[in-house]
Amino acid sequence: MKSETKHHIPQKPSPDKKDDLSEFRIITKNLVYVIGLSSSLANKEKLIKYEYFGQYGTIVKIVVNKNKAYNKNSPHGPSYSAYVTYSKPNEASIAILSLDETSIDDHLIRASFGTTKYCSYFLNGCECNNKDCVFLHYYADENEIIKRGELNVNKAIFANQHVIAIKIADIFNPEV
């Protein structure tokens, strides 16, 4: 007897809906977006260390954004953001659950899954020749899609991402 598994395969949208796809962001489950990094912590070499993000798994890539400072007038100094790519979704999930709403260097750290968008070449039905393209070249599952405007206004997104992170991290597994 065959075991049946259901796979949700997103339907290709009709051609008149393709333009709408440029407004969506897709949750990337091995990518952590972190905000609230102090000036001293907003450093690739420091973040990769075991004391910080390295303890949660194998880091594939770190991008620190020091071009845009947040809370510039804070008595503890400005805050910065970073994207940390892990080799596995469960590693990113554990990092999010461990770091979100913690304080490091008197800065409140917020962590969530990072997002990406559809590649413009893909949306136009063309082949993308950029071998390092970080954008999507396939239709994402509808449960992983967020409208761009909702990222800033929907406070429940952090809570929802924690639920997803708990499932992915499998933290109730005694081997973890």
Side-chain angles (χ1 to χ4, degrees):
M1 176 188 245
K2 283 186 179 177
S3 71
E4 292 184 28
T5 57
K6 291 184 181 180
H7 295 286
H8 174 70
I9 300 171
Q11 296 298 310
K12 184 176 178 180
S14 61
D16 60 321
K17 298 279 186 187
K18 275 193 173 185
D19 290 342
D20 296 340
L21 293 178
S22 65
E23 293 299 314
F24 292 112
R25 296 298 176 259
I26 298 87
I27 295 171
T28 305
K29 293 180 180 167
N30 67 327
L31 179 64
V32 176
Y33 175 62
V34 62
I35 59 174
L37 300 172
S38 66
S39 296
S40 66
L41 190 55
N43 174 297
K44 251 173 145 170
E45 289 74 30
K46 203 171 209 183
L47 290 176
I48 203 167
K49 289 185 177 183
Y50 184 84
E51 301 90 273
Y52 298 104
F53 286 81
Q55 65 185 292
Y56 305 110
T58 303
I59 296 173
V60 175
K61 180 178 179 181
I62 296 179
V63 177
V64 177
N65 183 3
K66 287 197 90 167
N67 294 330
K68 184 174 181 184
Y70 302 90
N71 303 321
K72 293 177 187 175
N73 298 326
S74 167
H76 303 291
S79 296
Y80 300 94
S81 64
Y83 288 93
V84 181
T85 307
Y86 285 92
S87 64
K88 299 176 190 167
N90 69 324
E91 296 168 340
S93 297
I94 292 168
I96 290 167
L97 294 169
S98 300
L99 291 167
D100 189 42
E101 294 190 8
T102 60
S103 179
I104 301 175
D105 294 341
D106 293 319
H107 283 73
L108 178 65
I109 303 296
R110 294 304 315 256
S112 65
F113 289 108
T115 61
T116 190
K117 61 184 181 177
Y118 288 107
C119 176
S120 60
Y121 286 99
F122 172 75
L123 291 177
N124 291 319
C126 301
E127 185 178 330
C128 177
N129 293 321
N130 180 355
K131 66 179 177 118
D132 296 322
C133 184
V134 296
F135 302 122
L136 280 189
H137 299 93
Y138 60 88
Y139 293 106
D141 185 293
E142 63 189 42
N143 296 320
E144 297 173 351
I145 298 173
I146 301 172
K147 279 194 170 187
R148 188 168 63 177
E150 290 178 4
L151 287 171
N152 297 329
V153 297
N154 188 349
K155 303 250 186 258
I157 286 177
F158 278 106
N160 292 341
Q161 288 194 15
H162 278 220
V163 171
I164 295 167
I166 288 169
K167 289 178 184 176
I168 294 171
D170 197 17
I171 61 173
F172 299 110
N173 181 343
E175 294 177 19
V176 175

